Amino acid sequence: MSQGRRHRRKNEKIKHHPKSDITKKDKIIGLVVVVLIFIAAAIVAVYYSLSRSGLTLF
């Protein structure tokens, strides 16, 4: 008995998963870098705001 077209296509989709070039480790490193950049920008913004208001820091 032959398989139905739908069943064959489903099996083909399951078999041919394209591998991602980005590893899990690289994704974690990228996320950490983005968070660090955001934190640095927030610190610079607070420092700039306080220095504009007349407070002397450092």
Side-chain angles (χ1 to χ4, degrees):
M1 197 177 233
S2 64
Q3 295 177 336
R5 174 184 273 178
R6 180 177 177 190
H7 185 69
R8 275 185 284 148
R9 287 186 178 201
K10 182 180 175 185
N11 285 342
E12 287 176 10
K13 287 180 184 178
I14 293 171
K15 287 181 194 174
H16 302 297
H17 284 298
K19 281 201 140 192
S20 177
D21 293 339
I22 303 172
T23 63
K24 188 173 183 179
K25 183 179 176 183
D26 290 337
K27 288 180 184 178
I28 292 171
I29 291 171
L31 182 66
V32 168
V33 168
V34 168
V35 169
L36 289 176
I37 290 172
F38 181 77
I39 291 171
I43 291 171
V44 169
V46 168
Y47 179 77
Y48 180 74
S49 174
L50 291 176
S51 67
R52 291 283 292 180
S53 68
L55 293 174
T56 54
L57 302 172
F58 303 111

